[in-house]
PDB file of all heavy atoms in Angstrom:
ATOM      1  N   ASP A   1      48.928  -6.952  -3.228  1.00  0.00           N
ATOM      2  CA  ASP A   1      50.376  -7.092  -3.373  1.00  0.00           C
ATOM      3  C   ASP A   1      50.758  -7.278  -4.834  1.00  0.00           C
ATOM      4  O   ASP A   1      51.714  -6.670  -5.313  1.00  0.00           O
ATOM      5  CB  ASP A   1      50.885  -8.270  -2.540  1.00  0.00           C
ATOM      6  CG  ASP A   1      52.354  -8.540  -2.789  1.00  0.00           C
ATOM      7  OD1 ASP A   1      53.159  -7.587  -2.708  1.00  0.00           O
ATOM      8  OD2 ASP A   1      52.700  -9.692  -3.095  1.00  0.00           O
ATOM      9  N   LEU A   2      50.008  -8.111  -5.549  1.00  0.00           N
ATOM     10  CA  LEU A   2      50.319  -8.343  -6.960  1.00  0.00           C
ATOM     11  C   LEU A   2      50.134  -7.085  -7.798  1.00  0.00           C
ATOM     12  O   LEU A   2      50.917  -6.806  -8.713  1.00  0.00           O
ATOM     13  CB  LEU A   2      49.473  -9.490  -7.503  1.00  0.00           C
ATOM     14  CG  LEU A   2      49.781 -10.870  -6.912  1.00  0.00           C
ATOM     15  CD1 LEU A   2      48.772 -11.898  -7.408  1.00  0.00           C
ATOM     16  CD2 LEU A   2      51.201 -11.290  -7.228  1.00  0.00           C
ATOM     17  N   ILE A   3      49.098  -6.312  -7.493  1.00  0.00           N
ATOM     18  CA  ILE A   3      48.871  -5.048  -8.208  1.00  0.00           C
ATOM     19  C   ILE A   3      50.014  -4.086  -7.947  1.00  0.00           C
ATOM     20  O   ILE A   3      50.552  -3.450  -8.867  1.00  0.00           O
ATOM     21  CB  ILE A   3      47.518  -4.431  -7.806  1.00  0.00           C
ATOM     22  CG1 ILE A   3      46.376  -5.299  -8.348  1.00  0.00           C
ATOM     23  CG2 ILE A   3      47.400  -2.987  -8.292  1.00  0.00           C
ATOM     24  CD1 ILE A   3      45.011  -4.956  -7.783  1.00  0.00           C
ATOM     25  N   LEU A   4      50.415  -3.972  -6.675  1.00  0.00           N
ATOM     26  CA  LEU A   4      51.510  -3.063  -6.325  1.00  0.00           C
ATOM     27  C   LEU A   4      52.821  -3.526  -6.960  1.00  0.00           C
ATOM     28  O   LEU A   4      53.608  -2.711  -7.442  1.00  0.00           O
ATOM     29  CB  LEU A   4      51.648  -2.965  -4.806  1.00  0.00           C
ATOM     30  CG  LEU A   4      50.481  -2.277  -4.094  1.00  0.00           C
ATOM     31  CD1 LEU A   4      50.594  -2.455  -2.588  1.00  0.00           C
ATOM     32  CD2 LEU A   4      50.424  -0.800  -4.463  1.00  0.00           C
ATOM     33  N   HIS A   5      53.049  -4.814  -6.980  1.00  0.00           N
ATOM     34  CA  HIS A   5      54.262  -5.337  -7.610  1.00  0.00           C
ATOM     35  C   HIS A   5      54.256  -5.044  -9.107  1.00  0.00           C
ATOM     36  O   HIS A   5      55.289  -4.652  -9.674  1.00  0.00           O
ATOM     37  CB  HIS A   5      54.380  -6.849  -7.379  1.00  0.00           C
ATOM     38  CG  HIS A   5      55.468  -7.484  -8.173  1.00  0.00           C
ATOM     39  ND1 HIS A   5      56.796  -7.306  -7.878  1.00  0.00           N
ATOM     40  CD2 HIS A   5      55.429  -8.271  -9.282  1.00  0.00           C
ATOM     41  CE1 HIS A   5      57.531  -7.961  -8.766  1.00  0.00           C
ATOM     42  NE2 HIS A   5      56.720  -8.556  -9.623  1.00  0.00           N
ATOM     43  N   ASN A   6      53.133  -5.242  -9.758  1.00  0.00           N
ATOM     44  CA  ASN A   6      53.022  -4.983 -11.187  1.00  0.00           C
ATOM     45  C   ASN A   6      53.302  -3.523 -11.521  1.00  0.00           C
ATOM     46  O   ASN A   6      53.887  -3.219 -12.559  1.00  0.00           O
ATOM     47  CB  ASN A   6      51.633  -5.390 -11.682  1.00  0.00           C
ATOM     48  CG  ASN A   6      51.539  -5.370 -13.191  1.00  0.00           C
ATOM     49  OD1 ASN A   6      52.389  -5.920 -13.863  1.00  0.00           O
ATOM     50  ND2 ASN A   6      50.502  -4.739 -13.708  1.00  0.00           N
ATOM     51  N   ASP A   7      52.884  -2.625 -10.626  1.00  0.00           N
ATOM     52  CA  ASP A   7      53.123  -1.191 -10.835  1.00  0.00           C
ATOM     53  C   ASP A   7      54.477  -0.743 -10.294  1.00  0.00           C
ATOM     54  O   ASP A   7      54.782   0.456 -10.305  1.00  0.00           O
ATOM     55  CB  ASP A   7      52.012  -0.372 -10.183  1.00  0.00           C
ATOM     56  CG  ASP A   7      50.686  -0.525 -10.910  1.00  0.00           C
ATOM     57  OD1 ASP A   7      50.689  -0.946 -12.086  1.00  0.00           O
ATOM     58  OD2 ASP A   7      49.638  -0.234 -10.296  1.00  0.00           O
ATOM     59  N   GLU A   8      55.264  -1.716  -9.790  1.00  0.00           N
ATOM     60  CA  GLU A   8      56.588  -1.444  -9.223  1.00  0.00           C
ATOM     61  C   GLU A   8      56.530  -0.433  -8.084  1.00  0.00           C
ATOM     62  O   GLU A   8      57.341   0.484  -7.987  1.00  0.00           O
ATOM     63  CB  GLU A   8      57.558  -1.009 -10.318  1.00  0.00           C
ATOM     64  CG  GLU A   8      57.781  -2.076 -11.368  1.00  0.00           C
ATOM     65  CD  GLU A   8      58.707  -1.641 -12.480  1.00  0.00           C
ATOM     66  OE1 GLU A   8      59.158  -0.481 -12.486  1.00  0.00           O
ATOM     67  OE2 GLU A   8      58.970  -2.481 -13.361  1.00  0.00           O
ATOM     68  N   VAL A   9      55.546  -0.620  -7.209  1.00  0.00           N
ATOM     69  CA  VAL A   9      55.351   0.247  -6.046  1.00  0.00           C
ATOM     70  C   VAL A   9      55.671  -0.561  -4.794  1.00  0.00           C
ATOM     71  O   VAL A   9      55.338  -1.743  -4.699  1.00  0.00           O
ATOM     72  CB  VAL A   9      53.888   0.758  -5.994  1.00  0.00           C
ATOM     73  CG1 VAL A   9      53.642   1.597  -4.756  1.00  0.00           C
ATOM     74  CG2 VAL A   9      53.556   1.535  -7.253  1.00  0.00           C
ATOM     75  N   THR A  10      56.306   0.062  -3.826  1.00  0.00           N
ATOM     76  CA  THR A  10      56.626  -0.595  -2.570  1.00  0.00           C
ATOM     77  C   THR A  10      55.344  -0.952  -1.816  1.00  0.00           C
ATOM     78  O   THR A  10      54.431  -0.133  -1.717  1.00  0.00           O
ATOM     79  CB  THR A  10      57.503   0.316  -1.685  1.00  0.00           C
ATOM     80  OG1 THR A  10      58.659   0.691  -2.428  1.00  0.00           O
ATOM     81  CG2 THR A  10      57.936  -0.395  -0.420  1.00  0.00           C
ATOM     82  N   VAL A  11      55.304  -2.150  -1.265  1.00  0.00           N
ATOM     83  CA  VAL A  11      54.127  -2.623  -0.546  1.00  0.00           C
ATOM     84  C   VAL A  11      54.145  -2.054   0.878  1.00  0.00           C
ATOM     85  O   VAL A  11      55.098  -2.273   1.621  1.00  0.00           O
ATOM     86  CB  VAL A  11      54.096  -4.167  -0.491  1.00  0.00           C
ATOM     87  CG1 VAL A  11      52.911  -4.660   0.317  1.00  0.00           C
ATOM     88  CG2 VAL A  11      54.067  -4.747  -1.889  1.00  0.00           C
ATOM     89  N   THR A  12      53.089  -1.333   1.215  1.00  0.00           N
ATOM     90  CA  THR A  12      52.915  -0.829   2.577  1.00  0.00           C
ATOM     91  C   THR A  12      51.482  -1.109   3.017  1.00  0.00           C
ATOM     92  O   THR A  12      50.602  -1.381   2.190  1.00  0.00           O
ATOM     93  CB  THR A  12      53.176   0.691   2.676  1.00  0.00           C
ATOM     94  OG1 THR A  12      52.196   1.379   1.895  1.00  0.00           O
ATOM     95  CG2 THR A  12      54.575   1.052   2.203  1.00  0.00           C
ATOM     96  N   GLU A  13      51.257  -1.017   4.309  1.00  0.00           N
ATOM     97  CA  GLU A  13      49.910  -1.248   4.841  1.00  0.00           C
ATOM     98  C   GLU A  13      48.916  -0.243   4.271  1.00  0.00           C
ATOM     99  O   GLU A  13      47.788  -0.602   3.908  1.00  0.00           O
ATOM    100  CB  GLU A  13      49.943  -1.164   6.363  1.00  0.00           C
ATOM    101  CG  GLU A  13      48.605  -1.407   7.018  1.00  0.00           C
ATOM    102  CD  GLU A  13      48.652  -1.301   8.529  1.00  0.00           C
ATOM    103  OE1 GLU A  13      49.730  -1.076   9.094  1.00  0.00           O
ATOM    104  OE2 GLU A  13      47.577  -1.452   9.142  1.00  0.00           O
ATOM    105  N   ASP A  14      49.317   1.016   4.176  1.00  0.00           N
ATOM    106  CA  ASP A  14      48.414   2.061   3.665  1.00  0.00           C
ATOM    107  C   ASP A  14      48.029   1.803   2.206  1.00  0.00           C
ATOM    108  O   ASP A  14      46.866   1.998   1.822  1.00  0.00           O
ATOM    109  CB  ASP A  14      49.075   3.442   3.788  1.00  0.00           C
ATOM    110  CG  ASP A  14      49.272   3.861   5.237  1.00  0.00           C
ATOM    111  OD1 ASP A  14      48.510   3.375   6.108  1.00  0.00           O
ATOM    112  OD2 ASP A  14      50.197   4.659   5.494  1.00  0.00           O
ATOM    113  N   LYS A  15      48.985   1.356   1.402  1.00  0.00           N
ATOM    114  CA  LYS A  15      48.699   1.111  -0.008  1.00  0.00           C
ATOM    115  C   LYS A  15      47.806  -0.119  -0.180  1.00  0.00           C
ATOM    116  O   LYS A  15      46.910  -0.129  -1.031  1.00  0.00           O
ATOM    117  CB  LYS A  15      49.995   0.965  -0.792  1.00  0.00           C
ATOM    118  CG  LYS A  15      50.754   2.289  -0.870  1.00  0.00           C
ATOM    119  CD  LYS A  15      52.084   2.135  -1.535  1.00  0.00           C
ATOM    120  CE  LYS A  15      52.831   3.460  -1.482  1.00  0.00           C
ATOM    121  NZ  LYS A  15      54.214   3.325  -1.924  1.00  0.00           N
ATOM    122  N   ILE A  16      48.021  -1.134   0.649  1.00  0.00           N
ATOM    123  CA  ILE A  16      47.146  -2.308   0.611  1.00  0.00           C
ATOM    124  C   ILE A  16      45.733  -1.907   1.008  1.00  0.00           C
ATOM    125  O   ILE A  16      44.753  -2.293   0.357  1.00  0.00           O
ATOM    126  CB  ILE A  16      47.680  -3.433   1.524  1.00  0.00           C
ATOM    127  CG1 ILE A  16      48.977  -4.004   0.955  1.00  0.00           C
ATOM    128  CG2 ILE A  16      46.644  -4.541   1.693  1.00  0.00           C
ATOM    129  CD1 ILE A  16      49.655  -5.020   1.858  1.00  0.00           C
ATOM    130  N   ASN A  17      45.618  -1.134   2.079  1.00  0.00           N
ATOM    131  CA  ASN A  17      44.297  -0.662   2.519  1.00  0.00           C
ATOM    132  C   ASN A  17      43.604   0.172   1.455  1.00  0.00           C
ATOM    133  O   ASN A  17      42.389   0.065   1.265  1.00  0.00           O
ATOM    134  CB  ASN A  17      44.425   0.143   3.820  1.00  0.00           C
ATOM    135  CG  ASN A  17      44.480  -0.741   5.045  1.00  0.00           C
ATOM    136  OD1 ASN A  17      43.814  -1.768   5.108  1.00  0.00           O
ATOM    137  ND2 ASN A  17      45.277  -0.343   6.016  1.00  0.00           N
ATOM    138  N   ALA A  18      44.359   1.028   0.754  1.00  0.00           N
ATOM    139  CA  ALA A  18      43.772   1.874  -0.288  1.00  0.00           C
ATOM    140  C   ALA A  18      43.206   1.021  -1.428  1.00  0.00           C
ATOM    141  O   ALA A  18      42.089   1.281  -1.916  1.00  0.00           O
ATOM    142  CB  ALA A  18      44.820   2.848  -0.822  1.00  0.00           C
ATOM    143  N   LEU A  19      43.950   0.003  -1.844  1.00  0.00           N
ATOM    144  CA  LEU A  19      43.459  -0.872  -2.914  1.00  0.00           C
ATOM    145  C   LEU A  19      42.251  -1.686  -2.463  1.00  0.00           C
ATOM    146  O   LEU A  19      41.306  -1.893  -3.237  1.00  0.00           O
ATOM    147  CB  LEU A  19      44.574  -1.804  -3.384  1.00  0.00           C
ATOM    148  CG  LEU A  19      45.644  -1.148  -4.258  1.00  0.00           C
ATOM    149  CD1 LEU A  19      46.825  -2.081  -4.448  1.00  0.00           C
ATOM    150  CD2 LEU A  19      45.059  -0.746  -5.597  1.00  0.00           C
ATOM    151  N   ILE A  20      42.272  -2.150  -1.234  1.00  0.00           N
ATOM    152  CA  ILE A  20      41.145  -2.929  -0.719  1.00  0.00           C
ATOM    153  C   ILE A  20      39.893  -2.052  -0.631  1.00  0.00           C
ATOM    154  O   ILE A  20      38.798  -2.474  -1.007  1.00  0.00           O
ATOM    155  CB  ILE A  20      41.494  -3.547   0.655  1.00  0.00           C
ATOM    156  CG1 ILE A  20      42.532  -4.658   0.462  1.00  0.00           C
ATOM    157  CG2 ILE A  20      40.264  -4.081   1.355  1.00  0.00           C
ATOM    158  CD1 ILE A  20      43.101  -5.199   1.753  1.00  0.00           C
ATOM    159  N   LYS A  21      40.077  -0.831  -0.174  1.00  0.00           N
ATOM    160  CA  LYS A  21      38.948   0.103  -0.080  1.00  0.00           C
ATOM    161  C   LYS A  21      38.413   0.426  -1.475  1.00  0.00           C
ATOM    162  O   LYS A  21      37.198   0.472  -1.686  1.00  0.00           O
ATOM    163  CB  LYS A  21      39.382   1.387   0.631  1.00  0.00           C
ATOM    164  CG  LYS A  21      38.269   2.352   0.872  1.00  0.00           C
ATOM    165  CD  LYS A  21      38.749   3.574   1.638  1.00  0.00           C
ATOM    166  CE  LYS A  21      37.615   4.551   1.830  1.00  0.00           C
ATOM    167  NZ  LYS A  21      38.058   5.769   2.533  1.00  0.00           N
ATOM    168  N   ALA A  22      39.318   0.624  -2.435  1.00  0.00           N
ATOM    169  CA  ALA A  22      38.894   0.924  -3.803  1.00  0.00           C
ATOM    170  C   ALA A  22      38.134  -0.249  -4.415  1.00  0.00           C
ATOM    171  O   ALA A  22      37.235  -0.063  -5.232  1.00  0.00           O
ATOM    172  CB  ALA A  22      40.106   1.274  -4.661  1.00  0.00           C
ATOM    173  N   GLY A  23      38.480  -1.461  -3.996  1.00  0.00           N
ATOM    174  CA  GLY A  23      37.797  -2.654  -4.494  1.00  0.00           C
ATOM    175  C   GLY A  23      36.479  -2.919  -3.790  1.00  0.00           C
ATOM    176  O   GLY A  23      35.724  -3.799  -4.208  1.00  0.00           O
ATOM    177  N   GLY A  24      36.194  -2.193  -2.712  1.00  0.00           N
ATOM    178  CA  GLY A  24      34.947  -2.366  -1.987  1.00  0.00           C
ATOM    179  C   GLY A  24      34.880  -3.664  -1.182  1.00  0.00           C
ATOM    180  O   GLY A  24      33.799  -4.201  -0.968  1.00  0.00           O
ATOM    181  N   VAL A  25      36.047  -4.128  -0.747  1.00  0.00           N
ATOM    182  CA  VAL A  25      36.104  -5.380   0.013  1.00  0.00           C
ATOM    183  C   VAL A  25      36.260  -5.059   1.491  1.00  0.00           C
ATOM    184  O   VAL A  25      37.044  -4.192   1.866  1.00  0.00           O
ATOM    185  CB  VAL A  25      37.293  -6.248  -0.462  1.00  0.00           C
ATOM    186  CG1 VAL A  25      37.360  -7.552   0.317  1.00  0.00           C
ATOM    187  CG2 VAL A  25      37.201  -6.513  -1.943  1.00  0.00           C
ATOM    188  N   ASN A  26      35.508  -5.755   2.323  1.00  0.00           N
ATOM    189  CA  ASN A  26      35.652  -5.599   3.775  1.00  0.00           C
ATOM    190  C   ASN A  26      36.580  -6.689   4.294  1.00  0.00           C
ATOM    191  O   ASN A  26      36.331  -7.870   4.090  1.00  0.00           O
ATOM    192  CB  ASN A  26      34.287  -5.726   4.472  1.00  0.00           C
ATOM    193  CG  ASN A  26      33.362  -4.588   4.119  1.00  0.00           C
ATOM    194  OD1 ASN A  26      33.802  -3.456   3.958  1.00  0.00           O
ATOM    195  ND2 ASN A  26      32.085  -4.893   3.974  1.00  0.00           N
ATOM    196  N   VAL A  27      37.667  -6.268   4.929  1.00  0.00           N
ATOM    197  CA  VAL A  27      38.625  -7.224   5.480  1.00  0.00           C
ATOM    198  C   VAL A  27      38.835  -6.949   6.965  1.00  0.00           C
ATOM    199  O   VAL A  27      38.608  -5.834   7.436  1.00  0.00           O
ATOM    200  CB  VAL A  27      39.989  -7.165   4.747  1.00  0.00           C
ATOM    201  CG1 VAL A  27      39.836  -7.467   3.279  1.00  0.00           C
ATOM    202  CG2 VAL A  27      40.664  -5.844   4.951  1.00  0.00           C
ATOM    203  N   GLU A  28      39.269  -7.980   7.669  1.00  0.00           N
ATOM    204  CA  GLU A  28      39.638  -7.785   9.063  1.00  0.00           C
ATOM    205  C   GLU A  28      40.842  -6.853   9.105  1.00  0.00           C
ATOM    206  O   GLU A  28      41.747  -6.955   8.275  1.00  0.00           O
ATOM    207  CB  GLU A  28      39.985  -9.124   9.726  1.00  0.00           C
ATOM    208  CG  GLU A  28      38.788 -10.046   9.910  1.00  0.00           C
ATOM    209  CD  GLU A  28      38.556 -10.938   8.690  1.00  0.00           C
ATOM    210  OE1 GLU A  28      39.240 -10.774   7.677  1.00  0.00           O
ATOM    211  OE2 GLU A  28      37.657 -11.790   8.766  1.00  0.00           O
ATOM    212  N   PRO A  29      40.900  -5.947  10.053  1.00  0.00           N
ATOM    213  CA  PRO A  29      41.940  -4.913  10.029  1.00  0.00           C
ATOM    214  C   PRO A  29      43.372  -5.409  10.200  1.00  0.00           C
ATOM    215  O   PRO A  29      44.311  -4.700   9.841  1.00  0.00           O
ATOM    216  CB  PRO A  29      41.553  -3.986  11.185  1.00  0.00           C
ATOM    217  CG  PRO A  29      40.533  -4.692  11.977  1.00  0.00           C
ATOM    218  CD  PRO A  29      39.945  -5.758  11.128  1.00  0.00           C
ATOM    219  N   PHE A  30      43.572  -6.600  10.721  1.00  0.00           N
ATOM    220  CA  PHE A  30      44.944  -7.062  10.938  1.00  0.00           C
ATOM    221  C   PHE A  30      45.602  -7.622   9.667  1.00  0.00           C
ATOM    222  O   PHE A  30      46.822  -7.696   9.588  1.00  0.00           O
ATOM    223  CB  PHE A  30      45.006  -8.110  12.058  1.00  0.00           C
ATOM    224  CG  PHE A  30      44.298  -9.402  11.743  1.00  0.00           C
ATOM    225  CD1 PHE A  30      44.956 -10.444  11.121  1.00  0.00           C
ATOM    226  CD2 PHE A  30      42.954  -9.563  12.064  1.00  0.00           C
ATOM    227  CE1 PHE A  30      44.305 -11.629  10.839  1.00  0.00           C
ATOM    228  CE2 PHE A  30      42.299 -10.746  11.788  1.00  0.00           C
ATOM    229  CZ  PHE A  30      42.974 -11.781  11.170  1.00  0.00           C
TER     230      PHE A  30
END
């Protein structure tokens, strides 16, 4: 969320998932 806010991009589930995947972090899907 902070990364998306810094880039002035709207926060969506897909964008959060993309950043998490790029970071190589495994999170619970919810």
